[in-house]
Every structure is written in structure tokens, then in C-alpha cells.
Amino acid sequence: MSRLRTLAIAVLVTSALTFLIIQQFYAESLREFAYSWFNGFAQEDRIVKGREYLIGAGKADITGPVVEINLMGYADPNQTGTGLRQRLYSRAFIVGSPKSPEDRWVYLVLDTQSGDTAIRHGILEGLRDLGTEYVVYRRHNVAVTGTHSHSGPAAWLNYLLPQITSRGFDKQSYDAIVTGAIRSIQRAHESLVPGRLSIGTTDVDDGSINRSLYAYLANPTEEREKYSDSVDRALTLLRLTRASDGKDIGVLTWFAVHGTSLHGNNTLITGDNKGVAAYLLEKAVKASSSAAPGFVAGFSQANVGDTSPNVLGAFCEDGSGDQCKLEDSTCNGRNQACHGRGPHFGLDDSGTKSCFEIGRRQFHSAKTLYDAMTAEEPGAATPVTGRSIRALHTFADISNYSFSHPNGSIVRTCPAALGYSFAAGTSDGPGAFDFTQNNPGDPSASPMWTVVRDLLHKPSEEQIACQAPKPILLDAGESKKPYDWAPNIVDIQLLRVGQVVIIVSPGEATTMAGRRWRDAVRVGALDMGLLADAEDTAHADPVVLLGGPANSYTHYITTEEEYGIQRYEGASTLYGPHTLNAYINLTLSNLHFLAAGAGSPEHGPAPPVNTNRSLSFIRGVVVDNPGFFKSFGDVLEDVEPQYERGHVASVVFVGANPRNNLRLEDTFASVERWTGNDDYDDELRLRERGEYKDWERVLSDEDWELVFHWERTNTALGMSRVKIEWEIGGHTKRGRYRLRYFGDSKSLGGTITSFEGVSSEFLVI
């Protein structure tokens, strides 16, 4: 009987559990059916519900040495850092599958001139060192892009050519970027949650112009007529929304405009116009109810090659006021006087106000689109759908790559080389000497430079023919001493989530080059049925984006027609006239790896990593000395008793070299506001309750309006001074304020000691 009783109980329990499971299954099915029925599978509901992915966003400080290091971008050895207007950041965005940890990718947006081979290598090594939790982040799925700011520290790139103007390689500059990038990925990884993606597009009004219009006009008329403008005005925004509460953890945008708002005479570190846009959007959205804590806004670059933020055009600064010559951007046959003008041209501020305005215009468009997406306005957003989350990466030696040209012929690329017009610069930053843009002819017109070129490395007849009509100034790809001058091995990388495909470009594609590249990938994806796994056939048309310069820096990518003109962009297209078609061919050859269940391409030939053998002629800090009868942090010139809003408060301190401590995730300066009570008895009561605080930090050196200047006053004795300026905004609260300085001094023995300085109090009225 006991056995029968036990068996009967077991049968009853099993039946009950089975019933509950079936009931739960049908209840869930009924709920899903009711949900779908009541919402009618509406477009609005798909945007709200969508397909869930694993999403994360993180941000970290990458501000390198802000003084005594050349700035990266204009290649001017005299443009050396003297302070900081805005901290630089790495912003990391992770998209992955909730079910398959291997299926994910990381898109980094660094406030740097570009991605870089050595930087990416250091990031990947650092991720490996974090342990097993981070083994999912590898070569194929980590994209390292730069905003193309020309106002950040240099001396961190892998190849010799860009190191020349910075007097070599600086480990401190390099480590700041690598460490911060890894930290941003960690923060994004730690924030991973189920969420939804949606994508939208808007235009940026007066955000850029084409600085090489003459070269752009060489493209076929029928091709140009397909587009309304000579630059892409579209800004695309990818929104990352947390599923648990519908709050956004971040947005990632793409828009093409050069980071050259600040001029070549600027010596303050900033993120240029994209740094401004990210700063403004993060502040605006964090103050809203739609954002999750730690909201991150990334403003990635797109087909930036021939774009300029100097939207008023290029004019001669030689007293004539004439526009520069369209064909070659010269004034009376010389290029030095030709300068682009930003929206606030005429101010003696190194382009600062124009920089802020171009950043504000990007912010305004992004914020307007973001608000429309969060309000679920019809047509504002398209949900990202589809199971596939894929990433591929391979290296290709493009120094002698043969492939089938679109016209059916077999063509090849060449070892990297830069033309004479490379040295001419652009209207954003003119070059020196007698070089001019639009020089597709015989270099014998400049015999002196031919001699100089041949002393460095004389190009072979084969190389000259391959690069034609480019007259070669620097045969960089065949220059190997003491190590490679320029890359011959390039990165080919693609990312995919659902119907969105991202081309990760190692070079600066021009407007038309980017259009051709994106269109080729879109057509290729459709032809091979890449999106056959899309769950929502209404959104099975691929959305193709291009981000860069990324992973390495391979200079420019022009169309063949633009290459033939040999303006700056064509002269800086390293691998000859077929460079763009080679990139497109390599991209399409690997596109099938983005299909669901596809394998991975071969690794390809590894590029050299030169961090441990790069030359450096950059002197370190020897000692800091406050001077006789002075201490570090002493006030030399104090603030005024009061300031009106719109004016500038400033104070000068006895300083020390800020290279002693980069103060990553910290600040060199702050604005503090008095929050105490002038009633002494009330203060006493607050102290007793533990609620008393007197000075509150309201601004740090990440804020655009707080500026940190450093000046060496005596090199032999190691003396310096620091000036902190606060450009008091119109919306600043009235009250009592003070400015504070945070510094670090170095003794002769090498000991680093922190100190502080503080101004007197002043009123803002």
C-alpha cells in the first residue's frame, strides 16, 4: 500500500506541475495575443517594444598632457599645448545578444584626431588583462574611432611620419588614451542591460561646407545630381533604450564635419566642435526625465574628408578680402593667406566661439531629433530589428593589391605616398613654403623639393607610375628607417546589428567617396540577401553608416576623379588612384561574414606596433620651483570683488607643471559657489544636524567656460604660473563664488606633491 500511495502522490504532483506549466504557457500566449491584438501591430508599438538587445554605454577621461606637447592635426611643431579648455573623453557603446555572449561589438568614440594601430593594440591587450569576463572583446569586434579633433595632444601615433612634428612618441600621452578607453569599455560592460535600439535621421543646418569644391565638381554630373548638396548634411542618431523602465542610457550619432573649428594658433586642449556637441547633449538629456544615470552621447565622425566647419567660406587674409581661388585655394598664387572663416569670424579668439557654435548646431539637431524620438513622433524613428549582431575585422596589405575594377579591368594599389599638395595644407590650415593645392603635374617645377624627397627616399619609376598623376613628395610607404613612416597594412572592419551596417573606415573618406562606399555596401547586402534573417520585413532595407577615421590612420580616401585633381585630399590619398575602389572591393569581399551563422575572415598580415621602439625627443619635467619667498598655490593676481554675468573672472597662482599629474577623472580647476547661510545661528544648527556645507563645486575643467592656462616663467629654475579664467555665463546664479586650483609639484628627487590654491571670494551680480 505504501508503494501505491507513494506512486499516487508522485502522479498527482507531476500532473499538478504539468497543469501549471501548461496554464502559464497559454496564459503568456494569451497575454501576447491580447497585447498584439489591442495594439494592432502598430508602427508606434514596434518602436516602443522592438527587439531586445544587450546594450551598454560608458565614458572615461583620456586627457593627456595639456602643456609642452604638440597638438595633433595641423602638423605644426610650433603649436604646443599651454592649457585646457575642455577635457577629452572616450565614449564606449556596446551592442550584443542577450542569448549569445560572443555576438556583440564595441564602438569607441575618442576625442582624438583618429584611431590608431598602437592605441588599438594597447586597448586589446588591456582588455585581455582584465580576465575571462572580457575575453568576448577581441580584434574583430572592437572599433576605435576618433572625432578628428585638431586640438588634442599628439605624440601617441604608431608611425613615424605623424610623430615628426611632435618630436616623437610620448608614453604619457599614449597611456592616457589607452587607459581611459579601457575604462570606458569597462563601464559600458558593467552597465549592460536588456534594451532596444531605434534609429533616426535629421539635417544639420549650416554645419559644414565642402572645402575642396573644385575636386568634388570633377565627379560625374549625373552622380552629383543624385544629391542636393556637395556635403552630407544628414545626422544619424542611434538611441539605446533600457527595457526595464524605458530610459535611455545613451545615443550615438554620425555627422561629417572636420574638427578644425579651432585654428592652428589655438594651444588649449579641447574636443573641438564634436566635443562641444557631446558636452551639451549630455548636460541637456541628463537633466530630463528620459535619461538613465550615466547617460552618454557620442558624436562620431562620418565621411569627413573634404568637409569644413568654416562655413562662411575661404578668404584671403592679405588685405584684399577676396575669396580664395576655387581651383587651388591660393591668394595671388600662394596658399598661406587663404583661411576658412567660421560663423564668428573676426574675433581674436583662435576660433573658440565659432567652434562652440558649430558644436551647438550639431547638438541642436541631435537634441531636436532625440526629443522627437522620445515623444514617438511619426516618422522620427525606425526600430532596429533582426537577430543578427555581427562583427568582422581583417588586415589587408594594400601596398600592391590587385583586384577587378568596376569597369572590368585589373588594377592595383601602390605603397603609401604623399603628393606635393599634401604640404600645401587646406584652407582650414594652410601649409608653408611654395606648395599649392591642385598639383597633378611634373614635380620638376620644384627642383629643390625633389632633391629633398630623394634624400629621404627616392621613389622608383614603378611607384611614380602607379601613383600618377600624383607627384610624389614623400614615399612614406617605402620608407622603413628607423621604422615604418606610414601604414601599408590597413584595417577592414564592419559591424552589424539587425538592418544597420557600419563601415569602420581607417581613412578620411571624402563626401562622394563615402557615398559610393555606403551605396556599394547597401547594394551588396541586398544582392546577397544579407538581411534575410530580419524579423520585421518592413525594415529589411539596410541602413549603412560610415564611421572613422578608425583603428589606424591611413590619411584620405578620394574618388578617382578627385584624385586626378590632386588637391590636398587627393595628394593625401596614400595608395594611388584606386584606393577607394580597393577599400570597396575588400569590404564587399568580406561582407558575407555579416550573415547570420557565417564564419570569420582570416586574420591577415599583422601591422607593426612601434610603441616600444618609437623615438622621442620630448623632455620630461625636471623640477618645479615656486620661487623665492613663495609657495605653490599662492595667489599672484587675485580676482576682482565682483563681476557681472557675461564678464570673465580670473586669478593667477604660483603653479607647477600639469604633466606631473594628468588628474584623469579629476580636475585642475573649479568654480565653487557659497551655499552656506549668512545667519551664524542657522549655520550652527545645520552643523549640529550634519547638514552643513559651505562651498559647492559648480564647474570643473570639463566645462567649456572654465579655462586653465599654464605658462613657464623660468625654464632654468623650473618656475611657472597658472591662470584660471571663468567666462561667466548669462544664466549663472547670483551669489558668492571663488576659483580653486589643484596642482602637483615635482622635487629634484622626483617626488610628486599635491597642493591647492584658492582665490578670494567675489560676487556675481
Side-chain angles (χ1 to χ4, degrees):
M1 286 292 293
S2 60
R3 289 182 179 177
L4 287 173
R5 196 163 40 245
T6 302
L7 182 61
I9 292 170
V11 170
L12 285 171
V13 170
T14 303
S15 300
L17 287 172
T18 302
F19 174 77
L20 288 172
I21 291 169
I22 293 171
Q23 183 189 46
Q24 181 65 28
F25 173 80
Y26 281 111
E28 184 67 27
S29 298
L30 285 170
R31 279 195 295 271
E32 288 293 323
F33 175 78
Y35 183 88
S36 301
W37 186 81
F38 280 110
N39 287 280
F41 295 102
Q43 168 74 5
E44 295 83 5
D45 178 60
R46 285 201 298 270
I47 293 173
V48 174
K49 192 172 185 245
R51 177 174 175 81
E52 285 191 3
Y53 301 97
L54 205 58
I55 57 171
K59 172 183 170 183
D61 192 349
I62 60 169
T63 310
V66 301
V67 303
E68 299 186 316
I69 297 289
N70 180 243
L71 271 59
M72 180 60 207
Y74 289 114
D76 181 356
N78 297 315
Q79 189 190 19
T80 301
T82 63
L84 177 67
R85 176 174 280 277
Q86 180 191 40
R87 282 200 169 261
L88 310 182
Y89 292 96
S90 169
R91 293 171 170 89
F93 300 87
I94 300 177
V95 174
S97 166
K99 297 180 180 179
S100 176
E102 291 289 314
D103 294 336
R104 67 178 66 180
W105 45 256
V106 184
Y107 192 96
L108 284 174
V109 182
L110 307 179
D111 286 333
T112 59
Q113 178 266 348
S114 66
D116 174 69
T117 299
I119 291 289
R120 187 169 187 267
H121 177 79
I123 292 169
L124 293 174
E125 280 196 329
L127 290 170
R128 282 195 295 269
D129 292 343
L130 292 178
T132 56
E133 189 178 349
Y134 289 85
V135 296
V136 293
Y137 306 110
R138 301 195 299 276
R139 174 181 55 84
H140 72 289
N141 64 357
V142 177
V144 183
T145 79
T147 60
H148 205 48
S149 166
H150 283 45
S151 53
W156 45 264
L157 285 102
N158 186 57
Y159 293 95
L160 180 62
L161 184 60
Q163 294 177 2
I164 291 172
T165 52
S166 63
R167 291 182 292 141
F169 181 82
D170 184 71
K171 189 70 161 53
Q172 188 183 44
S173 186
Y174 170 85
D175 283 343
I177 299 171
V178 171
T179 301
I182 293 169
R183 187 178 288 128
S184 70
I185 294 172
Q186 284 182 281
R187 289 173 178 167
H189 177 81
E190 290 165 359
S191 75
L192 283 169
V193 291
R196 299 180 298 273
L197 301 173
S198 55
I199 196 164
T201 302
T202 189
D203 285 346
V204 179
D205 293 330
D206 297 322
S208 66
I209 62 169
N210 195 308
R211 71 184 186 191
S212 280
L213 184 61
Y214 187 74
Y216 176 85
L217 293 173
N219 292 306
T221 303
E222 60 273 18
E223 182 179 35
R224 289 186 282 109
E225 287 178 346
K226 294 192 294 185
Y227 305 98
S228 61
D229 211 324
S230 60
V231 291
D232 284 345
R233 302 211 175 275
L235 178 147
T236 301
L237 185 150
L238 182 68
R239 177 186 173 204
L240 291 78
T241 306
R242 198 162 62 185
S244 60
D245 56 7
K247 291 187 178 294
D248 298 318
I249 65 168
V251 297
L252 178 55
T253 75
W254 289 265
F255 175 71
V257 61
H258 249 88
T260 50
S261 288
L262 287 160
H263 303 160
N265 63 352
N266 166 65
T267 55
L268 295 176
I269 301 303
T270 79
D272 211 275
N273 54 66
K274 288 194 178 291
V276 169
Y279 167 74
L280 292 175
L281 189 59
E282 285 175 349
K283 284 185 65 175
V285 175
K286 284 176 181 176
S288 71
S289 60
S290 63
F295 177 89
V296 180
F299 279 74
S300 183
Q301 200 55 263
N303 46 331
V304 61
D306 50 3
T307 65
S308 172
N310 296 308
V311 293
L312 298 184
F315 289 83
C316 296
E317 306 297 335
D318 57 1
S320 69
D322 295 336
Q323 281 194 306
C324 304
K325 189 177 177 183
L326 175 67
E327 291 83 356
D328 57 13
S329 296
T330 59
C331 301
N332 293 317
R334 297 183 65 85
N335 72 317
Q336 287 91 333
C338 178
H339 289 272
R341 295 179 176 181
H344 289 285
F345 167 76
L347 298 177
D348 185 17
D349 67 349
S350 301
T352 301
K353 193 168 183 181
S354 289
C355 177
F356 192 87
E357 175 60 20
I358 294 297
R360 189 202 63 79
R361 291 176 187 181
Q362 291 174 74
F363 152 74
H364 174 74
S365 293
K367 181 63 164 55
T368 302
L369 174 60
Y370 173 77
D371 288 344
M373 292 171 75
T374 56
E376 300 173 26
E377 292 182 10
T382 299
V384 177
T385 64
R387 296 184 180 88
S388 287
I389 300 167
R390 301 283 297 165
L392 70 86
H393 179 279
T394 186
F395 290 115
D397 187 338
I398 203 171
S399 63
N400 188 13
Y401 177 63
S402 294
F403 63 98
S404 179
H405 190 275
N407 66 16
S409 64
I410 301 299
V411 296
R412 71 175 183 89
T413 54
C414 329
L418 292 151
Y420 275 57
S421 295
F422 159 76
T426 71
S427 55
D428 289 343
F433 305 108
D434 57 348
F435 295 103
T436 59
Q437 296 191 70
N438 189 3
N439 179 5
D442 185 350
S444 61
S446 303
M448 181 187 74
W449 293 113
T450 302
V451 172
V452 172
R453 176 200 71 184
D454 291 351
L455 286 172
L456 293 171
H457 187 280
K458 184 177 181 178
S460 66
E461 291 302 318
E462 182 183 17
Q463 171 74 326
I464 291 171
C466 184
Q467 291 279 353
K470 176 198 293 177
I472 298 172
L473 176 65
L474 293 171
D475 194 19
E478 296 185 311
S479 299
K480 305 290 183 181
K481 295 180 180 180
Y483 46 92
D484 288 9
W485 283 48
N488 282 322
I489 296 172
V490 304
D491 300 73
I492 302 298
Q493 187 173 35
L494 293 166
L495 309 176
R496 178 192 172 191
V497 54
Q499 77 270 34
V500 178
V501 177
I502 304 170
I503 303 165
V504 183
S505 171
E508 300 178 54
T510 60
T511 299
M512 193 62 83
R515 288 168 175 170
R516 288 186 191 177
W517 200 348
R518 291 195 308 254
D519 192 54
V521 170
R522 181 181 174 277
V523 171
L526 290 172
D527 287 348
M528 69 177 60
L530 184 65
L531 304 188
D533 62 329
E535 294 180 348
D536 186 348
T537 55
H539 304 117
D541 194 31
V543 176
V544 183
L545 304 168
L546 185 150
N551 296 331
S552 183
Y553 182 59
T554 64
H555 294 254
Y556 282 72
I557 305 169
T558 57
T559 67
E560 291 181 10
E561 295 85 354
E562 293 163 353
Y563 185 91
I565 300 299
Q566 281 295 295
R567 281 178 60 94
Y568 175 81
E569 294 81 12
S572 303
T573 295
L574 293 182
Y575 311 109
H578 306 301
T579 297
L580 170 61
N581 280 321
Y583 277 116
I584 291 174
N585 180 273
L586 286 162
T587 302
L588 296 180
S589 298
N590 289 282
L591 187 61
H592 65 280
F593 290 114
L594 291 186
S600 299
E602 296 293 327
H603 182 282
V609 176
N610 298 317
T611 48
N612 293 326
R613 57 176 175 170
S614 288
L615 300 175
S616 181
F617 301 95
I618 300 168
R619 288 191 311 171
V621 180
V622 178
V623 67
D624 291 292
N625 188 342
F628 298 111
F629 312 113
K630 297 290 184 182
S631 298
F632 293 112
D634 283 356
V635 174
L636 297 175
E637 299 174 21
D638 210 351
V639 294
E640 300 292 333
Q642 67 181 36
Y643 296 90
E644 295 181 5
R645 287 176 287 191
H647 289 210
V648 179
S650 68
V651 58
V652 178
F653 297 97
V654 175
N657 197 310
R659 286 199 283 155
N660 293 327
N661 182 353
L662 302 181
R663 293 191 166 265
L664 291 167
E665 306 285 329
D666 202 348
T667 188
F668 291 118
S670 68
V671 176
E672 297 176 342
R673 184 175 185 272
W674 172 258
T675 59
N677 195 316
D678 290 329
D679 185 326
Y680 178 77
D681 291 333
D682 194 24
E683 270 189 28
L684 201 59
R685 286 191 293 272
L686 289 170
R687 286 181 190 273
E688 289 172 352
R689 295 203 303 266
E691 299 174 5
Y692 176 78
K693 62 177 181 177
D694 47 10
W695 292 97
E696 175 187 27
R697 180 183 293 181
V698 293
L699 294 173
S700 69
D701 62 17
E702 74 168 345
D703 293 290
W704 184 261
E705 57 265 44
L706 184 62
V707 188
F708 173 83
H709 300 271
W710 179 85
E711 179 186 6
R712 173 72 72 192
T713 57
N714 190 310
T715 301
L717 296 178
M719 296 168 60
S720 62
R721 51 189 250 160
V722 161
K723 183 177 185 179
I724 296 172
E725 293 181 311
W726 176 28
E727 299 168 356
I728 304 169
H731 298 289
T732 302
K733 290 182 180 179
R734 291 184 171 88
R736 290 161 58 188
Y737 291 87
R738 67 185 187 186
L739 304 178
R740 188 179 287 275
Y741 164 43
F742 303 91
D744 301 88
S745 63
K746 185 176 184 179
S747 70
L748 269 175
T751 302
I752 306 294
T753 304
S754 298
F755 63 88
E756 295 181 14
V758 64
S759 75
S760 298
E761 299 174 17
F762 58 92
L763 294 176
V764 173
I765 58 174

